[in-house]
Amino acid sequence: MTLLTVRRDGEIAVVTLDNPPVNAISEAVRKELFEMVGQLDADPGVRAAVLICAGRTFLAGADVREFGKPPVEPHLPEVVDRIEGAEKPWVAAIHGAALGGGFEIAMGCRFRIAVESARVGLPEVTLGVIPGASGTVRTPRLAGIETTVDLVTSGRPMPAGKALKAGLIDAVVSDLERDAVAFARAALDAELPLPVSQRPLAPMPEAFWQDARKRAAKPGHQAPLRALDSLRFATEHDFAEAMEHERETFLDLRGSDEAAALRHIFFAERAAPKPSALKGIEPRPVRTVGVIGGGTMGAGIAGACREAGMEILLIERDDEAVTRGLANVGKIFDSAVKRGKLSAEDRAGRMAGVRGSTDYADLADADLVIEAVFEEIGVKRAVFAELGRVCRADAVLATNTSYLDPRAIAEGLPDPSRFIGLHFFSPAHIMKLLEIVPTPDTAPDVLATGFALGRALNKMPVQAGICEGFIGNRILKRYRAEAEALVKQGVAIAEIDAAMRGYGFRMGPFEAQDLGGLDIAFLQREGARAEGQDVPETLGDILVRAGRKGQKTGGGWYDYAEGDRTPKPSASVATLLADRVSGSAALSGPEIADRLVGAMAAEGEAILREGIAQSPQDIDLVEIHGYGFPRWKGGPMFAAGMTASAR
Ligand code: T1G
């Protein structure tokens, strides 16, 4: 045994697993657990066992790195059954998160206890599989079918308090190991509950399953529905048959493209915030953040930084704008209170850390200042000229620009090494993507500070090189251009949107423009044209010039009835674009999606070639966390087979 250690507390054996970083259930862990049951059953001095983990968490599930390899015995279901069938009852002592196979092992134990901060869950669908060691078969025997439906189809973990009420755990304790031993000792004086596999489970009516399917369905994402099927099968067959069916489903999904895509993203999301190129480079500490501009973006950035515990100074041009800016930040916390995520008292605490001022001199102690003012080079340059004068020499100065060249903004700054682009996405307190855009002068520890800020704000930080639109907006432009090319070839606008929704996007390219407004991109194109750039006319230009800016003007690519956001195909648009459409291409939904995703991947390839992105997986993360690309498709680069990820 190298991962399991045992110590005796009287007649209770305390079995500790130590397999950092998250006690993932590798082949070795399965083997040692399997053997441990026999060892303790054979020990006459042992009457019960406590299973507890060292480090940050209880068993966090099967080792995802083994998914690409053929399964090796003992398989996890056998380990769970062996624990359940042990002569001496086991008690799972949970801290951190008991997830997937970790919770399945806990269900093989006769009892489960946890500390208040612990969570239990079955996140397998987030990896494109379903529970493979009784998650859809034992869980409903513990917590009933309704609770299990949400656990297995959403993959969302449940906090210990709720899990106790749901019957998933037996007690919430404060001193885990001490209380687990006491719990095991006390359990020996009473009649033991039935092993979970022997508890009853009754079928549900057809209507229940139809409704559950409707709620679980996400276009193109099969795992949640397969998990539901496995759960239903378990309610209509005996335990052994249900286990066989679940295992078959799990093994079938394990090799699927969807599982490969979600594993690709799982590891990409963990690698992105810690770029290897920054290893050993100490970021500058950030406790006080100045935000210049209290509009939507500035307030969102201020709210995100405040939520991460930083002190905020919001700078605006006059007292009225300061008041408005502070009110914008307050609204962010008000909505958190409304959603029950924040108490009124906490809200007060959040706002106590946000001050407003019109005087740049108040930024003298700021560690970081983020500019979020109007997207005009003169305005931004003036802001940084002032910041260069008033801020500490080691303060990091950042622009939130979406489209301007950060090098042009930094021009004239006495020390450009402390300047960086931090491109947040609106609403900045919600959107996870943060494009980090260093200039050639940006110091390595300033770049490291950008990534440290991304981690502190629980964002998905991705480094981007300097080009128009960096990574995300550049791909968006190509995506929209390809969609317009299909319209010119005679493919209906509504069919294109439907195809992308069928692929897994929440909205197609045209619906999304109508929601956001066509004029934003139009003004960018007009600005570039005014600077003498050759920007070909787009179909969107024609619509904007005709006053069709989207939902806000009652019509864009679609018509909208008064007070109704339902997009209706527009005869006016057909007339406006009639002389641009030449062809009657008939493409299926998947063919349309392939065309558009292919265009995104082609642009991604150019972005890689130009060194604008560090890796194809970074591009996938940008698309998933900034532009609604369905994560179960892995991102455009993965979908186009351009990543080295294990399939
Ligand atoms: N397998 C292998 N490595 C894992 C892992 C796992 N399950 N989970 C995390 N890691 C690595 C991760 O790559 C990172 O590595 C480090 O641990 C810290 O991760 C049969 C089939 C547990 C809540 O889906 O949700 O069981 O980058 O940064 O923020 O039914 O990790 O440091 O080299 O995320 O503290 C089900 C996935 C598997 C849990 C901890 N289980 N993990 O969060 O750390 S399927 C999961 C998490 C299954 C059975 C089925 C989180 C965490 P590195 P981290 P964290």
Side-chain angles (χ1 to χ4, degrees), residues 20-26 56-67 76-77 96-104 119 121-127 129-136 155 157 246-247 250 254 266-267 269-271 274:
V22 295
N23 292 307
I25 309 167
S26 59
R56 69 173 94 167
T57 178
F58 191 74
L59 296 96
D63 190 326
V64 184
R65 287 164 302 190
E66 292 184 358
F67 274 32
L76 193 50
L99 298 175
F103 187 61
E104 289 168 319
R119 315 184 303 287
L122 295 164
E124 284 84 347
V125 294
T126 65
L127 290 166
V129 293
I130 72 162
S134 81
T136 62
E246 180 191 74
R247 189 75 185 161
F250 165 71
R254 205 173 81 126
F266 176 88
F267 288 113
E269 286 175 335
R270 282 155 181 80
K274 304 174 278 189

Side-chain angles (χ1 to χ4, degrees), residues 550-566:
Q551 288 187 20
K552 59 187 173 185
T553 56
W557 293 99
Y558 296 92
D559 289 341
Y560 298 87
E562 184 66 30
D564 180 357
R565 291 174 160 242
T566 314

Side-chain angles (χ1 to χ4, degrees), residues 42 63 91 108-109 154 168 198 249 287 319 395 400 407 458 465:
D63 190 326
V91 178
C109 298
S154 73
L168 290 168
Q198 295 171 25
T249 306
R287 279 175 289 276
D319 289 343
N400 172 59
R407 289 166 300 192
N458 193 25

Side-chain angles (χ1 to χ4, degrees), residues 145-348:
I145 293 164
E146 286 91 337
T147 301
T148 307
V149 165
D150 182 55
L151 276 174
V152 299
T153 57
S154 73
R156 269 192 303 274
M158 190 181 277
K162 206 172 161 201
L164 178 66
K165 289 195 189 89
L168 290 168
I169 63 174
D170 302 290
V172 174
V173 297
S174 52
D175 181 323
L176 190 58
E177 184 160 335
R178 183 202 65 194
D179 296 343
V181 170
F183 189 99
R185 192 163 279 131
L188 292 170
D189 299 336
E191 190 182 342
L192 290 178
L194 273 178
V196 180
S197 61
Q198 295 171 25
R199 299 184 192 182
L201 183 56
M204 299 292 277
E206 179 61 32
F208 171 84
W209 297 111
Q210 292 314 320
D211 173 55
R213 280 186 78 82
K214 255 194 238 109
R215 280 185 286 116
K218 281 186 188 163
H221 189 10
Q222 62 168 326
L225 297 181
R226 298 290 296 277
L228 207 52
D229 292 345
S230 186
L231 173 58
R232 175 171 190 172
F233 191 94
T235 65
E236 296 166 355
H237 298 80
D238 71 25
F239 183 83
E241 289 167 320
M243 283 302 293
E244 199 180 322
H245 178 269
E246 180 191 74
R247 189 75 185 161
E248 273 165 26
T249 306
F250 165 71
L251 292 173
D252 173 40
L253 289 174
R254 205 173 81 126
S256 67
D257 283 348
E258 179 175 306
L262 285 164
R263 273 201 304 280
H264 160 70
I265 293 303
F266 176 88
F267 288 113
E269 286 175 335
R270 282 155 181 80
K274 304 174 278 189
S276 47
L278 293 175
K279 208 171 175 64
I281 298 175
E282 205 49 42
R284 298 184 189 180
V286 175
R287 279 175 289 276
T288 304
V289 177
V291 176
I292 315 295
T296 306
M297 279 312 285
I301 294 168
C305 292
R306 181 63 193 137
E307 191 57 27
M310 296 160 191
E311 292 296 315
I312 308 299
L313 180 62
L314 193 65
I315 298 284
E316 261 290 2
R317 56 182 178 285
D318 56 44
D319 289 343
E320 199 189 321
V322 167
T323 306
R324 268 201 315 276
L326 291 175
N328 289 340
V329 180
K331 280 181 205 144
I332 289 172
F333 295 124
D334 290 340
S335 72
V337 171
K338 264 190 219 116
R339 290 198 318 276
K341 299 276 184 221
L342 205 60
S343 70
E345 189 190 345
D346 289 342
R347 185 243 185 241

